[in-house]
Amino acid sequence: MRLFALLTACGVLVSAALTAQPVPKVNDALIVGDTLPRKLSDFGFFTDSAAKQPASMVQPYKLNSPLFTDYARKFRYAYIPAGGRVETGDNGRLLFPVGSALIKSFGYDDPDGDGVRLLETRVLLHRADGWIALPYVWDADAKDATLKVAGRRMPVSFTDPSGAKRDISYAVPNKNQCKGCHELGGKLVPIGPKLRNMDDGVQIGIWQDRGWLDKDMAVFAMMPGYSDKKFSLNDRARAYLDINCAHCHTHNGPASNSGLFLGFEETGKVALGIGKRPVAAGRGSGGREFAIAPGDADASIFTYRMDSTDPGIAMPELGRSIIHDEGVALIREWISAMDANGTIDTESDD
C-alpha cells in the first residue's frame, strides 16, 4: 500500500509538472533590442490575451490628473527591469532606467455593457539610445494588438460624462507623431509619470516596496485631480494646465518660444499668461489681446483656443478632436475668479 501510495503521489507530481503552464515573463530583449515587434503580446506584458491582467513585474498605475483624449478610458502600466531603479529629476519627473517600458491602453465603454473595448495600446520603450514610441491597434477579435507605425483612424461612438452621444473619428498617432507631445529638449520622454501627479497616498509606496523608488527620496508637492472639488480652484486649474499643456509649454519644450510656461511649479504670472500678449498675433488669438485677461474669460485667448476644434486655433493641438467641456468650464471659472492683478480671490471651492 505504501509503495502504491508513493507511486500514485509521484504520478500526480509528474502529471502536474507536465501540464503546468510556464510563468509569463516580460521579454527584456525586445524592449532593449532594435526590432519593432509586430504584436503587443510579443512583449509578455500581460498574462491574458485581452491585456487586462498584467504580468507580475508589470505595475498598474494612475495619474491624479490625466491628459484629456476625447473622453477615452485609459489604463496605464509600468515595467522596470530586474534591479532597475527610477530616479527623480526636476520637479519630481521620473527618470526610468534603460530596459523600462510604459504601456497605456485606450478604449471606451462597450455599448453592449461588456466592459471597456480597447482601441489601441501605446508602448514607450527605453532603449540604450533613448525612448521609442510604438502604437498597437487592437485586432477585430480583441485577442491581440498589431503594430501600426502609420497610425490609423477609426469611427467611435460613445456617451460622454454629461450623457450626450458622441460620434468621432478616433486618431491613433503614427510612430513619429508621438514626438508632438513627448518631446523635451529634442528627445522623446514620458510626460505623465511624475511624483506630484502619482502621489495618492498608496501607489508611491507600492513602487518603493518593489524597489523601484528610493524610500528616502525628496518630497514634492502633490498635484491634485483637476475634477476633485475638495482642492482649491487655483490648484485644480493649474493641474489641468500642467497635464494638458505643459509638456509643450515648458522651458525646453516645443512651445518654449511662446513665452508661456504652464507647469504646476511655475510662479510667474506673465509666464502663466496673465496679462500676457501673444508673441505672434494671428487668427489663433481671435482678436483678443491677452492670453489671460484677469476676471474676463470671454476676452482671454486661453478659453477661445480651448473652446475650438479648428486646426489653426485649437489648443492643445494634438490628442483631441472634440472640446473638453469640463476642462473649458474649469479654466473659465479660474480666470473669472481672478482680480485685476491675476490673483484668485477665493482659494477654495467651499
Side-chain angles (χ1 to χ4, degrees):
M1 290 293 291
R2 289 181 180 178
L3 179 59
F4 177 78
L6 179 61
L7 290 173
T8 301
C10 288
V12 171
L13 290 173
V14 170
S15 177
L18 291 174
T19 59
Q21 297 297 316
V23 176
K25 184 179 179 182
V26 174
N27 193 328
D28 291 289
L30 285 183
I31 294 176
V32 299
D34 57 3
T35 63
L36 303 181
R38 183 171 178 271
K39 291 290 187 177
L40 178 66
S41 60
D42 293 341
F43 291 104
F45 293 137
F46 301 94
T47 62
D48 63 325
S49 62
K52 300 295 175 63
Q53 298 297 324
S56 61
M57 285 303 294
V58 175
Q59 178 63 45
Y61 70 95
K62 295 181 179 180
L63 302 179
N64 297 347
S65 281
L67 178 73
F68 173 75
T69 309
D70 286 350
Y71 293 105
R73 297 276 301 277
K74 301 179 185 180
F75 304 89
R76 300 170 176 84
Y77 308 87
Y79 170 75
I80 310 296
R85 179 64 68 92
V86 181
E87 304 294 336
T88 53
D90 295 342
N91 302 305
R93 187 166 66 90
L94 298 184
L95 308 176
F96 294 86
V98 170
S100 300
L102 296 174
I103 307 104
K104 181 165 63 172
S105 294
F106 297 70
Y108 291 87
D109 290 332
D110 193 309
D112 296 328
D114 296 328
V116 177
R117 179 170 62 93
L118 297 182
L119 299 180
E120 61 160 325
T121 297
R122 302 178 194 177
V123 177
L124 280 174
L125 308 175
H126 196 185
R127 295 178 167 176
D129 56 354
W131 289 89
I132 181 174
L134 300 177
Y136 288 83
V137 174
W138 279 87
D139 301 337
D141 61 7
K143 293 182 178 179
D144 208 342
T146 303
L147 178 64
K148 301 293 182 183
V149 293
R152 172 171 289 186
R153 281 195 172 272
M154 57 188 84
V156 175
S157 298
F158 65 95
T159 302
D160 72 16
S162 73
K165 300 292 184 181
R166 301 270 195 164
D167 296 293
I168 64 172
S169 176
Y170 182 89
V172 177
N174 66 47
K175 179 174 173 290
N176 294 321
Q177 284 177 322
C178 294
K179 294 180 181 178
C181 289
H182 285 271
E183 185 179 355
L184 185 66
K187 296 181 179 180
L188 190 75
V189 297
I191 57 177
K194 300 174 183 176
L195 286 178
R196 66 184 181 211
N197 201 19
M198 293 174 57
D199 185 4
D200 61 356
V202 177
Q203 59 185 353
I204 295 299
I206 293 174
W207 284 38
Q208 290 172 325
D209 291 341
R210 277 187 174 270
W212 290 0
L213 284 169
D214 189 342
K215 292 193 176 184
D216 296 323
M217 65 186 182
V219 177
F220 296 87
M222 186 191 77
M223 192 170 83
Y226 52 72
S227 60
D228 190 342
K229 291 191 175 183
K230 73 172 177 283
F231 295 99
S232 73
L233 172 61
N234 186 63
D235 283 354
R236 291 191 295 114
R238 294 293 307 279
Y240 185 88
L241 295 176
D242 182 284
I243 193 60
N244 285 282
C245 311
H247 44 272
C248 287
H249 286 280
T250 187
H251 290 274
N252 53 348
S256 60
N257 62 348
S258 69
L260 284 173
F261 305 118
L262 304 179
F264 192 71
E265 72 283 352
E266 183 59 56
T267 58
K269 289 185 178 181
V270 175
L272 287 169
I274 298 171
K276 182 184 182 303
R277 299 177 189 277
V279 171
R283 72 187 190 96
S285 69
R288 290 154 176 79
E289 192 173 359
F290 301 108
I292 293 177
D296 192 345
D298 290 332
S300 299
I301 297 173
F302 265 38
T303 49
Y304 172 70
R305 303 195 74 169
M306 288 176 63
D307 206 19
S308 174
T309 56
D310 186 315
I313 298 173
M315 281 289 175
E317 294 178 309
L318 303 173
R320 71 173 179 94
S321 64
I322 58 179
I323 296 166
H324 187 194
D325 294 334
E326 295 82 1
V328 174
L330 173 62
I331 299 305
R332 289 185 65 88
E333 182 183 2
W334 178 57
I335 293 174
S336 297
M338 293 179 183
D339 63 19
N341 296 316
T343 301
I344 302 295
D345 293 328
T346 304
E347 283 300 302
S348 72
D349 294 346
D350 295 335

